[in-house]
Amino acid sequence: MSRDENKLLIDVKDLRVSFDTYAGEVQAVRGVSFYVNKGEALAIVGESGCGKSVTAQSTMQLIPMPPGRIKEGSVMFNGKDLTKFTDKQMESVRGSEISMIFQDPMTSLNPTMKVGKQIMEGLIKHQKMSKQDAKQKAIEMLDVVGIPNPEKRVEQYPHEFSGGMRQRAMIAIALACNPKLLIADEPTTALDVTIQAQILDLMKDLQKDFDTAIILITHDLGVVADMAQRIVVMYAGVVIESGTLDEIFYDGQHPYTWGLLKSVPRLDTQGKQKLYPIEGTPPDLFSPPKGCPFAARCEYAMPICREEMPEKTHLSKDHFVKCWLQHEMAPDVENPIKKGRE
Amino acid sequence: MSEKKLEGRKNIIEVNNLKKHFKVGKGQILKAVDGVTFSIREGETLGLVGESGCGKSTTGRAMIRLYEATEGEVIFDGMNIQRLNRKELKNFTKQAQMIFQDPYASLNPRMTVGDIIGEGMDIHGLRKGKERMAKIYELLEIVGLNREHASRFPHEFSGGQRQRIGIARALSVEPKFIVCDEPISALDVSIQAQVVNLLEELQEEMGLTYLFIAHDLSMVKHISDRIAVMYLGAVMELTTSKVLYDEPLHPYTQALLSAIPIPDPEVERSRNRIILEGDVPSPINPPEGCKFQKRCKYVKDICREKAPELREVKPEHFVACHIVK
């Protein structure tokens, strides 16, 4: 799905987020723009510290402020700028319009509160339901997310649930008020693969049934291939490439995207493949480099890369990349992911 | 890379019916490892995979006597490691080393990197003074760090670099066998490949034998010669990594492989996934009979009565299942 003003749900423009620490200012997010259409699943991929979680949390104003602060940018949701919202106004959005599920279901559920009550909380607050109705709805939600014996389970505490069931309960809480956007921050990273398969299946079904848009934050490209329609690749606080699923996997243009795709072994290939690691480590965000942040690790880096950040090059409606290799004076480089497929 | 020839190599370590049970109070017993048998040949990498709580780390730890086994034996180089005297045990710990999962928790924050790497040599009285420092510098360079790093402390390093320090420490006593307990799970994808390539290079140069424990099956397939799949304290299937992925026979292996998302949208769109119902049962009072019966769709009466033995159904292909012929 490409950008369509009628279907646009959330539009993030030039978002900049910093954290003030004793050691100085950490520029975690340095000018990020992306959008999500209604009912669409967008994946934000990148390594730890690339700013993907901070980006998602800032859209809901969930970063602790201070030390964090949104320096610049706008988050347009249904035509309103969320960065201008007061705490009170945000409260009416969180849980009802935008919900979030987190990586670790144990630390994000309240251990002293019954699971049922945690689902009812949002329903009573946002939809002004009575206690009885809310409880009925909580039982229904537990059933929707595939928890057996929901009547019994609403009365239980999170520690009585297994890891996979806690994640299901989190999804039930997040979807109870039928939000338009679900932000899933590494929703399956803490789970085993067989449980991950269950949760991903559930999320896909719910996306269809409730027509919820999803922002999926992950580093697992397998999960992305399974879930997302579009991808945003982040590195050191900036978006370096974005496009549809196929455009990134089969026609990705940024050397970092290539590196991500080539450094993971695949289950379905014959014989031994060589892994191509990305040498070095991501830059320090206290003083980000002035040129392209990936230049220091990039095997194709040219002098210009260390001097100036490349502009966007649009390759299709959805696909853009920020890389000097796209410049007409740059040398031709064979695309290693395309080559591998032929 | 060509596949290694493994036939005719002698076993460096043999595990026979190994059991490790923990008392968890109220008379209950957690059967973390419940009768595991396999062997590893010299220069080989055996992958040990399974979901959390299946006993793979406990097996690895019991194999180098970080845990005392409840039952069964581990034979290293012809010696039963449970029956070693002090001197023999010291010699054994020199030959069998471990690389841990968490590169933050496994390095002493108050020691310099040089001392962390040198500690093993001090304990075994291998090298002193200049010779010791020279070895530390050499090891740092082997693992891709440089000699200036010896005087620094662990907190100054990134996760990938710390894992390299952990590898240098394991190598310092010139071991033959290394247990790698999820050495890359805590690392970022781009860094994982660096560490895996390093482990492979070291194996080739030094003829090391690895037990590679992980839950990431794609990485295990990449690094291992043979793979053992564990479930609830028992080995379900054991064969070469190629055969395991091409023709998995055990219903659990099939489900596990099918659950792994493949980073290729076209493949993902056309895949039929086997989704297992429910969770892994608790290893406290596990079911009688086959451990996998509660989630297996082919379950028969015999599965509930008798635990299947691990038997060789084809050359080099072992399966513990009543259904597989």
Side-chain angles (χ1 to χ4, degrees):
Chain A
M1 269 192 283
S2 57
R3 193 185 171 102
D4 178 347
E5 298 300 327
N6 297 323
K7 282 184 151 181
L8 200 62
L9 182 66
I10 190 164
D11 190 14
V12 175
K13 277 218 175 91
D14 199 32
L15 188 70
R16 285 169 195 273
V17 185
S18 283
F19 291 87
D20 296 311
T21 68
Y22 288 114
E25 178 191 346
V26 184
Q27 302 174 35
V29 176
R30 305 184 291 137
V32 164
S33 306
F34 65 89
Y35 66 91
V36 185
N37 287 324
K38 283 172 188 153
E40 182 188 39
L42 173 82
I44 303 182
V45 296
E47 295 175 78
S48 35
C50 74
K52 54 192 194 299
S53 292
V54 174
T55 301
Q57 286 172 12
S58 312
T59 59
M60 280 175 86
Q61 287 197 31
L62 278 179
I63 52 164
M65 292 188 266
R69 71 195 144 92
I70 298 175
K71 284 169 71 184
E72 252 182 84
S74 62
V75 178
M76 299 302 285
F77 180 76
N78 270 344
K80 289 185 207 106
D81 187 355
L82 294 185
T83 58
K84 305 266 175 339
F85 271 33
T86 61
D87 283 356
K88 193 114 204 175
Q89 283 173 304
M90 263 331 280
E91 265 174 36
S92 67
V93 175
R94 287 187 205 126
S96 70
E97 307 265 343
I98 308 178
S99 285
M100 190 153 182
I101 50 178
F102 300 88
Q103 179 177 146
D104 185 354
M106 195 58 216
T107 49
S108 34
L109 290 171
N110 185 340
T112 65
M113 224 169 139
K114 286 176 183 165
V115 171
K117 215 155 186 195
Q118 300 189 45
I119 304 175
M120 288 157 62
E121 227 185 354
L123 293 166
I124 294 170
K125 190 167 166 50
H126 295 300
Q127 305 198 339
K128 312 277 176 273
M129 274 191 189
S130 70
K131 262 193 169 167
Q132 286 79 6
D133 290 349
K135 190 168 177 187
Q136 211 44 53
K137 175 83 183 178
I139 293 171
E140 204 187 301
M141 284 311 296
L142 284 179
D143 192 41
V144 167
V145 297
I147 291 180
N149 270 327
E151 293 85 3
K152 202 180 122 211
R153 290 290 186 176
V154 281
E155 299 292 343
Q156 288 186 336
Y157 290 92
H159 76 264
E160 296 171 83
F161 281 46
S162 69
M165 289 217 288
R166 281 183 209 135
Q167 200 57 293
R168 284 170 193 268
M170 282 251 294
I171 294 174
I173 296 171
L175 294 182
C177 295
N178 205 357
K180 297 191 184 71
L181 176 66
L182 177 69
I183 301 178
D185 190 354
E186 305 261 6
T188 57
T189 308
L191 306 174
D192 277 314
V193 277
T194 60
I195 310 298
Q196 165 172 291
Q198 294 172 359
I199 299 291
L200 292 179
D201 226 41
L202 172 70
M203 283 177 57
K204 275 192 284 187
D205 285 348
L206 296 176
Q207 188 196 0
K208 253 183 256 152
D209 297 349
F210 291 83
D211 199 30
T212 315
I214 296 178
I215 297 180
L216 175 73
I217 299 164
T218 182
H219 65 269
D220 187 334
L221 292 164
V223 172
V224 173
D226 188 23
M227 283 283 302
Q229 277 107 50
R230 273 192 312 118
I231 304 178
V232 167
V233 185
M234 280 186 72
Y235 187 78
V238 292
V239 176
I240 51 121
E241 186 163 9
S242 176
T244 64
L245 195 57
D246 288 25
E247 281 166 346
I248 297 293
F249 273 91
Y250 303 136
D251 193 25
Q253 294 293 334
H254 199 286
Y256 179 65
T257 311
W258 298 341
L260 277 184
L261 288 166
K262 285 196 306 172
S263 62
V264 288
R266 281 180 51 167
L267 207 51
D268 59 340
T269 45
Q270 291 290 328
K272 273 222 161 191
Q273 53 182 146
K274 176 129 177 56
L275 297 183
Y276 294 89
I278 308 173
E279 297 298 342
T281 45
D284 186 353
L285 292 176
F286 282 112
S287 52
K290 68 176 169 176
C292 170
F294 188 60
R297 300 173 79 186
C298 181
E299 57 179 304
Y300 309 102
M302 300 172 281
I304 181 76
C305 301
R306 296 191 181 87
E307 293 301 320
E308 213 176 308
M309 181 69 200
E311 289 294 314
K312 269 188 201 175
T313 308
H314 287 272
L315 302 162
S316 78
K317 280 201 318 290
D318 301 303
H319 193 181
F320 72 80
V321 61
K322 287 183 196 160
C323 181
W324 281 113
L325 285 177
Q326 300 298 322
H327 194 271
E328 52 190 11
M329 280 163 69
D332 279 334
V333 169
E334 203 170 10
N335 185 334
I337 50 172
K338 252 188 170 168
K339 195 179 135 215
R341 271 169 59 79
E342 275 152 16
Chain B
M1 257 182 282
S2 60
E3 286 193 21
K4 276 183 252 169
K5 281 250 181 305
L6 292 167
E7 294 91 40
R9 292 201 193 180
K10 72 177 176 74
N11 290 338
I12 189 165
I13 194 161
E14 286 171 31
V15 179
N16 292 325
N17 194 28
L18 183 74
K19 290 185 184 175
K20 177 67 198 173
H21 297 175
F22 296 94
K23 286 185 183 141
V24 287
K26 293 181 194 158
Q28 287 183 312
I29 291 171
L30 187 151
K31 296 182 176 173
V33 179
D34 204 18
V36 163
T37 302
F38 60 84
S39 57
I40 310 178
R41 296 178 187 128
E42 222 159 29
E44 179 185 42
T45 302
L46 180 79
L48 198 56
V49 296
E51 298 176 86
S52 39
C54 73
K56 53 190 192 301
S57 289
T58 311
T59 306
R61 286 170 167 252
M63 280 170 73
I64 56 169
R65 251 187 88 167
L66 285 181
Y67 287 140
E68 295 295 331
T70 310
E71 224 186 286
E73 51 181 22
V74 177
I75 311 285
F76 181 84
D77 238 356
M79 300 175 298
N80 184 340
I81 65 156
Q82 263 96 248
R83 299 219 192 95
L84 301 176
N85 61 33
R86 266 181 81 151
K87 210 174 142 199
E88 288 167 331
L89 181 64
K90 201 168 160 186
N91 182 39
F92 169 69
T93 56
K94 184 181 158 300
Q95 296 188 52
Q97 284 287 314
M98 183 146 179
I99 300 167
F100 297 90
Q101 170 173 10
D102 187 344
Y104 291 85
S106 56
L107 301 178
N108 187 338
R110 306 213 277 183
M111 280 165 84
T112 63
V113 167
D115 284 339
I116 288 171
I117 297 173
E119 197 180 14
M121 291 191 273
D122 301 344
I123 290 168
H124 292 285
L126 295 178
R127 286 184 175 82
K128 286 199 180 73
K130 271 191 184 148
E131 226 183 308
R132 173 178 177 271
M133 278 326 280
K135 182 73 184 173
I136 291 169
Y137 293 148
E138 187 195 326
L139 285 165
L140 280 170
E141 275 158 17
I142 288 175
V143 298
L145 299 169
N146 55 54
R147 50 171 61 206
E148 286 78 48
H149 290 140
S151 54
R152 298 216 208 149
F153 287 90
H155 74 263
E156 298 174 66
F157 295 88
S158 68
Q161 288 175 317
R162 284 176 201 224
Q163 206 54 291
R164 289 172 190 268
I165 297 168
I167 294 171
R169 171 175 64 185
L171 294 175
S172 69
V173 294
E174 290 160 13
K176 287 187 189 162
F177 172 60
I178 300 181
V179 174
C180 311
D181 189 1
E182 308 237 17
I184 51 165
S185 314
L187 307 177
D188 262 317
V189 272
S190 75
I191 312 292
Q192 285 186 355
Q194 293 177 6
V195 174
V196 165
N197 283 354
L198 173 66
L199 286 170
E200 287 185 322
E201 283 160 29
L202 293 173
Q203 179 170 51
E204 213 163 289
E205 279 162 33
M206 305 182 182
L208 298 168
T209 307
Y210 293 139
L211 176 73
F212 192 89
I213 301 169
H215 63 268
D216 177 347
L217 277 94
S218 332
M219 207 47 109
V220 174
K221 182 205 174 193
H222 173 80
I223 196 170
S224 308
D225 300 302
R226 288 187 305 147
I227 296 175
V229 180
M230 280 186 79
Y231 187 79
L232 220 60
V235 173
M236 298 279 125
E237 189 160 359
L238 169 63
T239 184
T240 61
S241 60
K242 187 177 181 312
V243 175
L244 187 85
Y245 287 88
D246 289 349
E247 352 162 17
L249 293 176
H250 198 286
Y252 177 62
T253 316
Q254 291 169 355
L256 194 63
L257 290 176
S258 119
I260 298 160
I262 289 175
D264 186 332
E266 260 169 42
V267 176
E268 275 303 308
R269 279 191 280 264
S270 58
R271 253 173 122 206
N272 267 330
R273 191 156 277 160
I274 309 169
I275 302 235
L276 286 180
E277 304 270 321
D279 294 313
V280 182
S282 159
I284 300 170
N285 305 324
E288 289 282 309
C290 177
K291 310 258 183 193
F292 186 57
Q293 52 173 285
K294 287 191 176 153
R295 297 171 86 191
C296 183
K297 58 178 173 182
Y298 307 106
V299 64
K300 286 191 180 140
D301 288 341
I302 183 162
C303 306
R304 296 194 184 89
E305 286 153 18
K306 212 173 122 223
E309 301 248 321
L310 192 67
R311 61 201 164 88
E312 194 164 9
V313 289
K314 281 178 195 163
E316 285 279 313
H317 196 159
F318 297 84
V319 183
C321 182
H322 292 301
I323 313 293
V324 177
K325 288 284 162 270

